[in-house]
Amino acid sequence: MRTRNQKRRPSYNHRDAPKWAKIFAACVVGFVFLSIVAACLSTPDSDTSSKSTKSTPEKTHESSTPSKSSEAPKSEKTHFTSGDPDPALKTRVESALKSTNTDATFDDYNAADNSIWINYEVSDTHFTNKGMVKGARADTAAILEELRDKNIDVSSVNITGNLGSSIAFSVVYNEDTIMNHDWFTMPNEQVWAVRDGGTVNPTFVNG
């Protein structure tokens, strides 16, 4: 029992709480609710990202497969295989001759011994016969160097030099001779001397 002098404690009623407390409580409840909703929405994205991550190695494996097939070794040389020269090789020969800046042209191919024949028009722009001979030897060396540089694989090359209606020279070089000489540095007077066959018209040389 309370004495008369003891004060009675006032009873607490939530309705008497200040307005700011109610607002604060409402914000807390709303924040918790939004956090739950956000967590639920983020779960499918994480599943999707994990699936995409697992599929990445498969794509990488597929893209790396074709590169293996492209590693097959290629032959450095291609042989003529019929009476007519292979179109690709004929193109290479003509390209080599064009690079010489001479009037040399592809003439014929002999399938029996895998040899090619080249026609060449001797330039008559030189003032002396000696100059024509020296120029013809230089052009012969240029033709052989280009064939060597383009790696034309034939058993022999026959170069025929024409001066008007007459043949000035017809020289033959075997594959080993072509490949084993540096024609650009060879002395001019040795170009025809190292040939493996053929002839040089004495009248043309001695003029």
Side-chain angles (χ1 to χ4, degrees):
M1 295 182 63
R2 296 185 180 90
T3 61
R4 293 181 178 179
N5 295 330
Q6 186 177 4
K7 294 182 179 180
R8 184 179 181 180
R9 296 179 179 177
S11 60
Y12 180 80
N13 191 340
H14 67 278
R15 295 179 180 179
D16 296 332
K19 292 181 178 182
W20 63 266
K22 295 179 180 180
I23 294 172
F24 177 78
C27 290
V28 172
V29 173
F31 177 79
V32 173
F33 177 77
L34 291 176
S35 299
I36 295 173
V37 172
C40 293
L41 293 177
S42 64
T43 302
D45 294 338
S46 62
D47 293 339
T48 303
S49 62
S50 63
K51 292 179 181 179
S52 62
T53 303
K54 293 179 180 179
S55 63
T56 301
E58 296 178 357
K59 294 180 180 179
T60 303
H61 177 71
E62 293 175 358
S63 62
S64 62
T65 302
S67 61
K68 295 182 179 179
S69 61
S70 62
E71 296 176 357
K74 296 181 180 179
S75 175
E76 295 181 358
K77 295 183 178 181
T78 306
H79 290 271
F80 294 124
T81 57
S82 63
D84 294 327
D86 183 274
L89 279 176
K90 183 178 180 180
T91 300
R92 289 171 57 200
V93 172
E94 292 176 340
S95 176
L97 297 178
K98 186 177 181 180
S99 300
T100 64
N101 294 320
T102 66
D103 293 328
T105 58
F106 178 87
D107 181 51
D108 198 9
Y109 166 68
N110 188 348
D113 59 0
N114 190 35
S115 62
I116 59 175
W117 293 68
I118 295 172
N119 274 338
Y120 164 72
E121 294 297 327
V122 178
S123 175
D124 58 357
T125 58
H126 300 280
F127 294 105
T128 63
N129 188 75
K130 185 177 181 180
M132 280 196 301
V133 173
K134 186 175 181 180
R137 283 196 295 244
D139 289 342
T140 301
I143 293 170
L144 295 173
E145 180 63 25
E146 285 298 325
L147 294 176
R148 174 177 177 266
D149 184 63
K150 296 296 189 298
N151 203 22
I152 305 300
D153 185 23
V154 291
S155 61
S156 64
V157 176
N158 184 303
I159 303 175
T160 300
N162 302 302
L163 182 60
S165 58
S166 62
I167 297 178
F169 62 90
S170 181
V171 290
V172 180
Y173 297 87
N174 295 335
E175 181 182 18
D176 290 340
T177 303
I178 296 173
M179 295 301 174
N180 293 329
H181 287 86
D182 185 350
W183 299 98
F184 279 161
T185 61
M186 178 179 290
N188 183 273
E189 63 275 6
Q190 293 184 13
V191 174
W192 290 340
V194 298
R195 69 182 185 273
D196 297 296
T199 59
V200 178
N201 191 331
T203 303
F204 171 65
V205 176
N206 300 323

